[in-house]
Amino acid sequence: MWLLDQWAERHICDAQNKGEFENLPGSGEPLVLDDDSHIPPELRAGYRLLKNAGCLPPELQHRNEAVELADLLKGIHKNDPRYSEISRRLALIELKLRQTGMNTDFLHGEFSERLMQKINEE
């Protein structure tokens, strides 16, 4: 068990022993793990069926493929014959994502760089 897991388990056990989990709101009620209140009632069964089958909306499929291609590009040299083909595929998917209104900054590492800067400032 990792150190963090042990620390969390110790605090949970301490809280249980002190009775801090007694009489919590919603105690004894089933957990609502999927909040589908934003989905119209007539579509919920279909959406749940697609979700359970592992189907993703096209935008998320494109996003996942773009991330995979970007990772591939990082691992090969620009002189590699595959580089230009993968680069073209990535550019096409990025265009599709932008047309759907998705931000593609995640492909260029700008977000992670800004996040690291923010963390280092603190």
Side-chain angles (χ1 to χ4, degrees):
M1 188 178 280
W2 294 95
L3 184 60
L4 185 60
D5 294 332
Q6 292 173 350
W7 178 83
E9 283 294 324
R10 187 180 71 235
H11 283 283
I12 290 171
C13 288
D14 290 345
Q16 283 176 328
N17 292 337
K18 293 177 186 175
E20 293 178 9
F21 293 129
E22 302 295 322
N23 302 319
L24 290 174
S27 179
E29 297 176 17
L31 294 175
V32 179
L33 299 177
D34 287 337
D35 180 21
D36 57 2
S37 60
H38 61 283
I39 299 172
E42 62 272 8
L43 296 177
R44 288 180 187 161
Y47 276 38
R48 179 149 302 152
L49 180 70
L50 290 171
K51 179 181 174 187
N52 291 341
C55 294
L56 290 175
E59 297 83 16
L60 292 180
Q61 288 176 341
H62 290 316
R63 184 186 189 285
N64 289 347
E65 187 177 356
V67 168
E68 289 174 9
L69 290 173
D71 287 343
L72 274 174
L73 282 178
K74 289 176 187 174
I76 60 176
H77 195 270
K78 290 186 178 187
N79 295 335
D80 191 309
R82 299 173 295 166
Y83 189 88
S84 62
E85 175 60 29
I86 293 172
S87 198
R88 278 192 295 255
R89 285 178 48 203
L90 180 58
L92 178 63
I93 292 172
E94 188 173 357
L95 178 64
K96 288 179 183 180
L97 288 171
R98 286 184 180 166
Q99 286 175 339
T100 62
M102 287 186 74
N103 188 334
T104 58
D105 289 346
F106 64 92
L107 292 173
H108 305 289
E110 297 164 6
F111 176 76
S112 62
E113 290 171 9
R114 283 187 274 159
L115 181 61
M116 287 307 294
Q117 288 174 352
K118 186 73 172 171
I119 290 172
N120 291 332
E121 287 175 2
E122 295 177 356

